[in-house]
Amino acid sequence: MARITIIGAGAAGIFGAINIATKNPDAEVVVLEKSSKLLSKVKISGGGRCNVTNVCQEPKELIKNYPRGNKKLKKAFEQFGTVDTVNWFESRGVKLKAEADGRMFPITDDSQTIIDCLLNECKKHKVEIRTKVSVESIEKTDNGFLLDIKGAEKIECDKILIATGGHNKIEGFQWLMDLEHSISEPVPSLFTFNLPKSSLTNLLGVAVQDVEVKIAGTKLSHQGPLLITHWGLSRSCST
Ligand SMILES: Cc1cc2nc3c(=O)[nH]c(=O)nc-3n(C[C@H](O)[C@H](O)[C@H](O)COP(=O)(O)OP(=O)(O)OC[C@H]3O[C@@H](n4cnc5c(N)ncnc54)[C@H](O)[C@@H]3O)c2cc1C
């Protein structure tokens, strides 16, 4: 029986584990998570509502929203796109709805609906999830891999899916570079817009539906809903 280990119980790891287990019903699929919580970012995503996907169905349009890696993402979206995402959740009893700006949320407006669906699928496909298991390094062996676990015995497996999320510093990926993977320098992608000294913040609470925001002296601009907060600018409904 093939032993497939997924490192990280975030959205990527759990969704990956479900798909691996579905397509390899005889494999032993185990997810290792260093914290005590599963899908913790999914829980807080979309202001607790979880912005699951977008109404945009065309991969070549969708990738315009990704400043880096858009060519690679196009291939991934062609394999499994926004329509597949909507169908995947609907066929498991989770209906999604679209909002005026194209974002799609569960009709419950509660990210827990998405978490429950993903964890039910894990149960259905016998995915084992172990928490408080931190993988420190990976060693390649003749037959597979040996995982070094913090304060516990090593774990052997045949295949690995690494889904450990992002890091703001390249050093966070050293353990993968040790395996001769090349890693691109991380850059921030989604962040809050702090304007600490701007009198604009006096308008906190004001939301406007269709705004174009530009950064003076650059070509950077964006259009969409805007909320003025006590610290600066946000989308009128957080992503
Ligand atoms: C406030 C906020 C709101 C967001 N809203 C949205 C939204 O509405 N829609 C949307 O699409 N995206 C949203 N995002 C982004 C989205 O949450 C992330 O892109 C997504 O959750 C990343 O999933 P991941 O599985 O790649 O990584 P993560 O969720 O970071 O999961 C990685 C997991 O791996 C574990 N791990 C790391 N290293 C190890 C190790 N060595 N051994 C074992 N386990 C390890 C971590 O503990 C973690 O649980 C939001 C993010 C934030 C912070």
Side-chain angles (χ1 to χ4, degrees):
M1 184 194 283
R3 294 158 305 175
I4 305 173
T5 300
I6 291 93
I7 311 176
I14 294 292
F15 194 69
I18 294 165
N19 281 286
I20 290 167
T22 310
K23 292 186 169 74
N24 303 276
D26 296 332
E28 180 190 275
V29 182
V30 180
V31 183
L32 306 177
E33 166 56 46
K34 74 174 174 188
S35 75
S36 56
K37 292 198 177 119
L38 313 174
L39 297 164
S40 56
K41 272 193 203 156
V42 173
K43 179 76 182 160
I44 58 167
S45 69
R49 299 196 298 141
C50 191
N51 174 196
V52 183
T53 187
N54 195 279
V55 284
C56 177
Q57 298 187 2
E58 269 303 316
K60 70 173 186 302
E61 285 303 311
L62 199 57
I63 57 163
K64 288 183 183 162
N65 297 296
Y66 297 87
R68 295 202 313 167
N70 44 18
K71 279 194 194 131
K72 288 203 172 87
L73 278 171
K74 183 164 176 277
K75 288 199 183 115
F77 288 144
E78 280 164 357
Q79 290 279 318
F80 195 92
T82 53
V83 176
D84 301 304
T85 306
V86 173
N87 293 341
W88 194 92
F89 279 102
E90 282 211 3
S91 66
R92 286 158 181 86
V94 176
K95 237 181 142 22
L96 305 181
K97 55 159 181 176
E99 301 208 335
D101 60 2
R103 291 178 302 154
M104 297 191 77
F105 294 88
I107 55 166
T108 57
D109 276 330
D110 187 353
S111 57
Q112 192 60 43
T113 309
I114 302 298
I115 294 176
D116 292 344
C117 173
L118 293 171
L119 295 182
N120 278 340
E121 285 298 304
C122 284
K123 214 182 250 175
K124 192 161 118 195
H125 295 286
K126 299 191 172 54
V127 172
E128 186 190 340
I129 306 176
R130 298 188 205 157
T131 55
K132 297 188 188 161
V133 180
S134 179
V135 178
E136 300 223 293
S137 64
I138 301 171
E139 194 185 316
K140 181 112 185 61
T141 62
D142 290 343
N143 308 319
F145 300 93
L146 201 54
L147 308 181
D148 205 359
I149 309 298
K150 190 176 179 185
E153 273 184 30
K154 292 182 194 256
I155 296 176
E156 271 185 280
C157 62
D158 302 306
K159 291 186 191 298
I160 308 177
L161 171 66
I162 299 167
T164 48
H167 283 282
N168 56 359
K169 295 209 172 89
I170 199 158
E171 296 81 61
F173 297 103
Q174 189 55 53
W175 62 301
L176 300 180
M177 293 192 274
D178 291 344
L179 285 172
E180 293 176 18
H181 283 294
S182 56
I183 305 285
S184 301
E185 191 70 44
V187 291
S189 72
L190 184 66
F191 49 88
T192 54
F193 223 116
N194 284 324
L195 300 168
K197 290 180 190 141
S198 172
S199 54
L200 196 72
T201 54
N202 293 334
L203 298 174
L204 82 153
V206 172
V208 190
Q209 268 317 302
D210 193 19
V211 172
E212 187 173 10
V213 182
K214 290 182 177 172
I215 302 182
T218 75
K219 287 184 183 161
L220 299 171
S221 72
H222 197 75
Q223 198 168 356
L226 179 92
L227 171 70
I228 300 173
T229 69
H230 65 282
W231 41 257
L233 303 179
S234 177
R235 288 178 64 113
S236 71
C237 194
S238 56
T239 55

